[in-house]
Amino acid sequence: MKAITISRQLGSLGDEVAQAIASRLNYRVVSREIINQAALRSGAPEMALVTIDELDLLGIQPTVKARRAYQATVETVMKELADEGDVVIVGRAGQVILREHPNVFHVKVIAPSALRAERIARLHNLSLEAAKAQIEASDRNRKNYLKRYYRARWDDPELYDIIINTDRLDPEQAACLICQALTHCDQRAPYARYEQLPK
C-alpha cells in the first residue's frame, strides 16, 4: 500500500497508532499539515482554525465560499499525498476522499467511550464529566463533518478496511495488527467482484 488513512475517535489513541505504523513502515504522518496547506492554498486561512477547533470553542463562522474552496483544496492535497505514497494520513475524511484511490488502506481506531473519557481526563487533568463532554462534542463534530461535506456516515464500516479497538491493545500492538493486514493485502490476488461471479 502506498498510503494509509486513519480515522479515529478522540481518546482512542488513534494518533499514537498512526505514529507507530509510520515508525514500522518508515512512512511520514500527515494531519495538521493537510489543514494548513489547504487553508493557505484556498485563500481561507480561517478554515485552519475552524477545523482544528473540534469543540467549537472559538466560534468562527467562515463563509460558504471559503468552506467550499477549503474543502476542494483539502481533497487535492490529500490526493497528491496519496500519489506520492509512504504516508499515513490522519483525519480530514481521508477514508471518503481516497475511497476509490488505488493502494490506499483505510483504518478506523475506536475504543469504548468510558475508556476514552478516562484517557482524556488523565491526559488533560480534567474531571471525568468534562472529559465525557469533550468526547461527545468531538464525536458529534466528526460525524457532522462527514455528513455535511460528503453525505457519508462516520460509523459506516464499509468505509474502512480494518477497525481496531484499543480497549485491550496499546498503540504498538494495534500497529502490528494493521501492518500484518497490510502485508496480506499486498500479497493477495484481487478478489472477484460479486457482479463477475456466475449466477
Side-chain angles (χ1 to χ4, degrees), residues 114-166:
L115 176 58
R116 293 192 289 135
E118 288 173 16
R119 288 171 175 168
I120 293 300
R122 278 198 308 270
L123 182 64
H124 298 292
N125 195 26
L126 298 172
S127 70
L128 200 53
E129 287 307 310
K132 285 178 182 176
Q134 280 198 14
I135 294 281
E136 289 169 3
S138 175
D139 286 355
R140 184 170 55 251
N141 286 343
R142 292 178 192 209
K143 174 185 173 183
N144 290 341
Y145 182 85
L146 254 66
K147 185 177 179 181
R148 166 187 271 180
Y149 290 110
Y150 300 103
R151 297 181 182 175
R153 282 183 23 245
W154 188 44
D155 60 350
D156 180 357
E158 293 185 13
L159 293 176
Y160 311 99
D161 295 299
I162 189 169
I163 299 173
I164 293 283
N165 185 338
T166 60

Coordinates of all heavy atoms in Angstrom, one line a residue, residues 114-166:
A114 N -16.3 5.1 27.7 CA -15.9 5.3 29.1 C -14.4 5.3 29.2 O -13.8 6.1 29.9 CB -16.5 4.2 30.0
L115 N -13.7 4.4 28.5 CA -12.2 4.4 28.5 C -11.7 5.6 27.8 O -10.7 6.2 28.3 CB -11.8 3.1 27.8 CG -10.3 3.0 27.6 CD1 -9.6 2.9 28.9 CD2 -9.9 1.7 26.8
R116 N -12.3 6.1 26.8 CA -11.8 7.3 26.1 C -11.9 8.5 27.0 O -11.0 9.3 27.1 CB -12.6 7.5 24.8 CG -12.4 6.5 23.8 CD -12.9 6.9 22.4 NE -14.4 6.9 22.4 CZ -15.1 7.8 21.8 NH1 -14.5 8.9 21.3 NH2 -16.4 7.8 21.8
A117 N -13.0 8.6 27.8 CA -13.1 9.7 28.7 C -12.1 9.6 29.8 O -11.5 10.6 30.2 CB -14.5 9.6 29.3
E118 N -11.8 8.4 30.3 CA -10.7 8.2 31.3 C -9.4 8.7 30.8 O -8.6 9.4 31.5 CB -10.6 6.8 31.8 CG -11.8 6.3 32.6 CD -11.7 4.8 32.9 OE1 -10.7 4.2 32.7 OE2 -12.8 4.2 33.3
R119 N -9.1 8.3 29.5 CA -7.8 8.7 28.9 C -7.7 10.2 28.8 O -6.6 10.8 29.1 CB -7.6 8.0 27.6 CG -7.4 6.5 27.6 CD -7.5 5.9 26.2 NE -7.1 4.5 26.2 CZ -7.3 3.7 25.2 NH1 -7.9 4.1 24.1 NH2 -7.0 2.4 25.3
I120 N -8.7 10.8 28.3 CA -8.7 12.3 28.1 C -8.6 13.0 29.5 O -7.9 14.0 29.6 CB -10.0 12.7 27.3 CG1 -9.9 12.2 25.9 CG2 -10.1 14.3 27.3 CD1 -8.7 12.6 25.1
A121 N -9.3 12.5 30.5 CA -9.3 13.1 31.8 C -7.9 13.1 32.4 O -7.4 14.1 32.9 CB -10.3 12.4 32.7
R122 N -7.2 11.9 32.2 CA -5.8 11.8 32.7 C -4.9 12.7 31.9 O -4.0 13.3 32.5 CB -5.3 10.3 32.6 CG -5.8 9.4 33.7 CD -4.9 8.2 33.8 NE -4.9 7.5 32.5 CZ -5.8 6.5 32.1 NH1 -6.8 6.2 32.9 NH2 -5.6 5.9 30.9
L123 N -5.0 12.7 30.6 CA -4.1 13.4 29.7 C -4.2 14.9 29.9 O -3.1 15.6 30.0 CB -4.4 13.1 28.2 CG -3.5 13.7 27.2 CD1 -2.1 13.2 27.3 CD2 -4.1 13.5 25.8
H124 N -5.4 15.4 30.1 CA -5.5 16.9 30.3 C -5.9 17.3 31.7 O -6.2 18.5 31.9 CB -6.6 17.3 29.3 CG -6.3 17.1 27.9 ND1 -5.3 17.7 27.2 CD2 -6.8 16.2 27.0 CE1 -5.2 17.3 25.9 NE2 -6.1 16.4 25.8
N125 N -5.8 16.4 32.6 CA -6.1 16.7 34.0 C -7.5 17.3 34.2 O -7.6 18.4 34.8 CB -5.0 17.6 34.6 CG -5.0 17.7 36.1 OD1 -5.5 16.8 36.8 ND2 -4.6 18.8 36.7
L126 N -8.5 16.6 33.6 CA -9.8 17.1 33.7 C -10.7 16.2 34.6 O -10.3 15.1 34.9 CB -10.5 17.1 32.3 CG -9.8 17.9 31.2 CD1 -10.4 17.6 29.8 CD2 -10.1 19.4 31.5
S127 N -11.8 16.7 34.9 CA -12.8 15.8 35.6 C -13.3 14.8 34.6 O -13.3 15.1 33.4 CB -13.9 16.6 36.2 OG -14.8 17.1 35.2
L128 N -13.8 13.7 35.1 CA -14.4 12.7 34.2 C -15.6 13.3 33.4 O -15.8 13.0 32.2 CB -14.8 11.5 35.0 CG -14.9 10.2 34.2 CD1 -13.7 9.9 33.4 CD2 -15.3 9.0 35.1
E129 N -16.4 14.1 34.0 CA -17.6 14.7 33.4 C -17.1 15.6 32.3 O -17.7 15.6 31.2 CB -18.4 15.4 34.4 CG -19.2 14.5 35.3 CD -20.1 13.5 34.6 OE1 -20.8 13.9 33.6 OE2 -20.0 12.3 34.9
A130 N -16.1 16.4 32.5 CA -15.6 17.3 31.5 C -15.0 16.5 30.3 O -15.2 16.9 29.1 CB -14.5 18.3 32.1
A131 N -14.3 15.5 30.6 CA -13.8 14.6 29.6 C -14.9 14.0 28.7 O -14.8 13.9 27.5 CB -12.9 13.6 30.2
K132 N -15.9 13.5 29.4 CA -17.0 12.9 28.7 C -17.7 13.9 27.7 O -18.1 13.6 26.6 CB -18.1 12.4 29.7 CG -17.7 11.1 30.4 CD -18.8 10.7 31.4 CE -18.4 9.4 32.1 NZ -19.4 9.1 33.1
A133 N -17.8 15.2 28.2 CA -18.4 16.2 27.4 C -17.5 16.5 26.1 O -18.0 16.7 25.0 CB -18.6 17.5 28.2
Q134 N -16.2 16.4 26.3 CA -15.3 16.6 25.2 C -15.4 15.5 24.2 O -15.5 15.7 23.0 CB -13.8 16.7 25.6 CG -13.5 18.1 26.2 CD -12.0 18.3 26.2 OE1 -11.2 17.5 25.7 NE2 -11.5 19.3 26.9
I135 N -15.5 14.3 24.7 CA -15.7 13.1 23.8 C -17.0 13.2 23.0 O -17.0 13.0 21.8 CB -15.8 11.8 24.7 CG1 -14.4 11.5 25.4 CG2 -16.2 10.6 23.9 CD1 -13.4 10.9 24.6
E136 N -18.1 13.6 23.7 CA -19.4 13.7 23.0 C -19.3 14.8 21.9 O -19.8 14.6 20.8 CB -20.5 13.9 24.0 CG -20.8 12.7 24.9 CD -21.7 13.1 26.0 OE1 -22.1 14.3 26.1 OE2 -21.9 12.2 26.9
A137 N -18.7 15.9 22.3 CA -18.6 17.0 21.3 C -17.8 16.7 20.1 O -18.1 17.0 18.9 CB -18.1 18.3 22.0
S138 N -16.7 16.0 20.4 CA -15.8 15.6 19.3 C -16.4 14.6 18.4 O -16.4 14.7 17.1 CB -14.5 15.0 19.9 OG -13.7 14.5 18.8
D139 N -17.1 13.6 18.9 CA -17.8 12.6 18.1 C -18.9 13.2 17.3 O -19.0 12.9 16.1 CB -18.5 11.5 19.0 CG -17.5 10.5 19.6 OD1 -16.3 10.6 19.3 OD2 -17.9 9.7 20.4
R140 N -19.6 14.2 17.9 CA -20.7 14.9 17.1 C -20.1 15.7 16.0 O -20.6 15.6 14.9 CB -21.4 15.8 18.1 CG -22.6 16.5 17.5 CD -23.5 17.1 18.6 NE -22.7 18.0 19.4 CZ -22.4 17.8 20.7 NH1 -22.7 16.7 21.3 NH2 -21.7 18.7 21.4
N141 N -19.0 16.4 16.2 CA -18.4 17.2 15.2 C -17.8 16.4 14.0 O -18.0 16.8 12.9 CB -17.3 18.2 15.8 CG -18.0 19.3 16.6 OD1 -19.1 19.6 16.4 ND2 -17.2 19.9 17.4
R142 N -17.2 15.3 14.4 CA -16.6 14.4 13.3 C -17.7 13.8 12.5 O -17.6 13.7 11.3 CB -15.7 13.4 14.0 CG -14.5 14.0 14.6 CD -13.6 13.0 15.2 NE -12.6 13.6 16.0 CZ -11.4 13.2 16.3 NH1 -11.0 12.0 15.8 NH2 -10.5 13.8 17.0
K143 N -18.8 13.4 13.2 CA -19.9 12.8 12.5 C -20.5 13.9 11.5 O -20.8 13.6 10.3 CB -21.0 12.4 13.5 CG -22.3 11.9 12.9 CD -23.2 11.6 14.0 CE -24.6 11.3 13.5 NZ -25.6 11.0 14.5
N144 N -20.7 15.1 12.0 CA -21.3 16.2 11.2 C -20.4 16.6 10.1 O -20.9 16.9 9.0 CB -21.6 17.4 12.1 CG -22.8 17.1 13.1 OD1 -23.5 16.2 12.9 ND2 -22.9 17.9 14.1
Y145 N -19.1 16.5 10.2 CA -18.2 16.9 9.2 C -18.4 16.0 8.0 O -18.5 16.5 6.8 CB -16.7 16.8 9.7 CG -15.7 17.2 8.7 CD1 -15.3 18.5 8.6 CD2 -15.0 16.3 7.9 CE1 -14.3 18.9 7.7 CE2 -14.1 16.6 7.0 CZ -13.7 18.0 6.9 OH -12.8 18.3 6.0
L146 N -18.4 14.7 8.2 CA -18.6 13.7 7.1 C -20.0 13.9 6.5 O -20.1 13.8 5.2 CB -18.4 12.3 7.5 CG -17.0 11.7 7.1 CD1 -15.9 12.4 7.7 CD2 -17.0 10.2 7.4
K147 N -21.0 14.1 7.3 CA -22.3 14.2 6.8 C -22.5 15.5 5.9 O -23.0 15.5 4.8 CB -23.3 14.3 7.9 CG -24.8 14.3 7.5 CD -25.7 14.2 8.7 CE -27.1 14.3 8.3 NZ -28.0 14.2 9.5
R148 N -21.9 16.6 6.4 CA -22.0 17.9 5.8 C -21.3 17.9 4.4 O -21.9 18.4 3.4 CB -21.5 19.0 6.7 CG -21.3 20.4 5.9 CD -20.6 21.4 6.7 NE -21.6 22.2 7.5 CZ -21.2 23.2 8.3 NH1 -20.0 23.5 8.5 NH2 -22.2 23.8 8.9
Y149 N -20.1 17.5 4.4 CA -19.3 17.6 3.2 C -19.4 16.4 2.2 O -19.2 16.6 1.0 CB -17.8 17.8 3.6 CG -17.5 19.2 4.2 CD1 -17.2 19.3 5.5 CD2 -17.6 20.4 3.4 CE1 -17.0 20.6 6.1 CE2 -17.4 21.6 4.0 CZ -17.1 21.7 5.3 OH -16.9 22.9 5.9
Y150 N -19.7 15.3 2.8 CA -19.6 14.1 1.9 C -20.9 13.2 2.0 O -20.9 12.2 1.3 CB -18.4 13.2 2.3 CG -17.1 14.0 2.1 CD1 -16.4 14.5 3.2 CD2 -16.6 14.3 0.8 CE1 -15.3 15.3 3.0 CE2 -15.5 15.0 0.6 CZ -14.8 15.5 1.7 OH -13.7 16.3 1.6
R151 N -21.8 13.6 2.7 CA -23.1 12.8 2.9 C -22.7 11.4 3.2 O -23.3 10.4 2.7 CB -23.9 12.9 1.6 CG -24.4 14.3 1.3 CD -25.3 14.3 0.1 NE -25.7 15.7 -0.2 CZ -26.4 16.0 -1.3 NH1 -26.7 15.1 -2.2 NH2 -26.7 17.3 -1.5
A152 N -21.7 11.2 4.1 CA -21.3 9.9 4.5 C -21.5 9.7 6.0 O -21.5 10.7 6.7 CB -19.8 9.7 4.2
R153 N -21.6 8.5 6.4 CA -21.8 8.2 7.8 C -20.4 7.8 8.4 O -19.8 6.9 7.9 CB -22.8 7.0 8.1 CG -24.2 7.4 7.9 CD -25.2 6.3 8.2 NE -24.6 5.2 9.0 CZ -24.4 4.0 8.6 NH1 -24.7 3.6 7.3 NH2 -23.9 3.1 9.4
W154 N -20.0 8.5 9.4 CA -18.7 8.3 10.1 C -18.6 6.8 10.6 O -17.6 6.2 10.6 CB -18.6 9.3 11.2 CG -17.2 9.3 11.8 CD1 -16.0 9.2 11.2 CD2 -16.9 9.4 13.2 NE1 -15.0 9.3 12.1 CE2 -15.5 9.4 13.4 CE3 -17.7 9.4 14.4 CZ2 -14.9 9.5 14.6 CZ3 -17.1 9.5 15.6 CH2 -15.7 9.5 15.7
D155 N -19.8 6.3 11.0 CA -19.8 4.9 11.6 C -20.1 3.8 10.6 O -20.3 2.7 10.9 CB -20.8 4.8 12.7 CG -22.2 5.1 12.3 OD1 -22.4 5.6 11.1 OD2 -23.1 4.9 13.1
D156 N -20.0 4.2 9.3 CA -20.2 3.2 8.2 C -19.0 2.3 8.1 O -18.0 2.7 7.7 CB -20.5 3.9 6.9 CG -20.7 2.9 5.7 OD1 -20.7 1.7 5.9 OD2 -21.0 3.4 4.6
P157 N -19.2 1.0 8.5 CA -18.0 0.1 8.4 C -17.4 -0.2 7.0 O -16.3 -0.5 6.9 CB -18.5 -1.2 9.1 CG -20.0 -1.2 8.9 CD -20.4 0.3 8.9
E158 N -18.2 0.1 6.0 CA -17.8 -0.1 4.7 C -16.8 0.9 4.2 O -16.1 0.7 3.2 CB -19.0 -0.2 3.7 CG -19.9 -1.4 3.9 CD -21.0 -1.5 2.9 OE1 -20.9 -0.8 1.9 OE2 -21.9 -2.2 3.1
L159 N -16.6 2.0 5.0 CA -15.6 3.0 4.6 C -14.2 2.5 5.0 O -13.2 3.1 4.6 CB -15.9 4.3 5.3 CG -17.1 5.0 4.9 CD1 -17.3 6.3 5.8 CD2 -17.0 5.4 3.4
Y160 N -14.1 1.4 5.8 CA -12.8 1.0 6.4 C -12.4 -0.4 6.0 O -13.2 -1.3 5.8 CB -12.8 1.1 7.9 CG -13.4 2.5 8.3 CD1 -14.7 2.6 8.7 CD2 -12.6 3.6 8.3 CE1 -15.3 3.8 9.1 CE2 -13.1 4.8 8.7 CZ -14.4 4.9 9.1 OH -15.0 6.2 9.4
D161 N -11.1 -0.6 5.8 CA -10.6 -1.9 5.6 C -10.4 -2.7 6.9 O -10.5 -3.9 6.9 CB -9.2 -1.9 4.8 CG -9.4 -1.3 3.5 OD1 -10.1 -1.9 2.6 OD2 -8.8 -0.2 3.2
I162 N -10.1 -2.0 7.9 CA -10.0 -2.6 9.3 C -10.4 -1.6 10.3 O -10.1 -0.4 10.2 CB -8.5 -3.1 9.5 CG1 -8.4 -4.0 10.7 CG2 -7.5 -2.0 9.5 CD1 -7.1 -4.7 10.8
I163 N -11.0 -2.1 11.4 CA -11.4 -1.3 12.5 C -10.7 -1.9 13.7 O -10.9 -3.1 14.0 CB -12.9 -1.3 12.7 CG1 -13.6 -0.6 11.5 CG2 -13.3 -0.5 14.0 CD1 -15.1 -0.7 11.5
I164 N -10.0 -1.1 14.4 CA -9.2 -1.6 15.6 C -9.7 -1.0 16.9 O -9.9 0.3 17.0 CB -7.7 -1.2 15.4 CG1 -7.0 -1.9 14.3 CG2 -6.9 -1.4 16.7 CD1 -6.7 -3.3 14.5
N165 N -10.0 -1.8 17.9 CA -10.5 -1.4 19.2 C -9.3 -1.4 20.1 O -8.7 -2.5 20.3 CB -11.6 -2.3 19.6 CG -12.2 -1.8 20.9 OD1 -11.6 -1.1 21.7 ND2 -13.4 -2.3 21.2
T166 N -8.9 -0.2 20.7 CA -7.7 -0.2 21.6 C -8.1 -0.4 23.0 O -7.3 0.0 23.9 CB -7.0 1.2 21.4 OG1 -7.9 2.3 21.7 CG2 -6.5 1.4 20.0

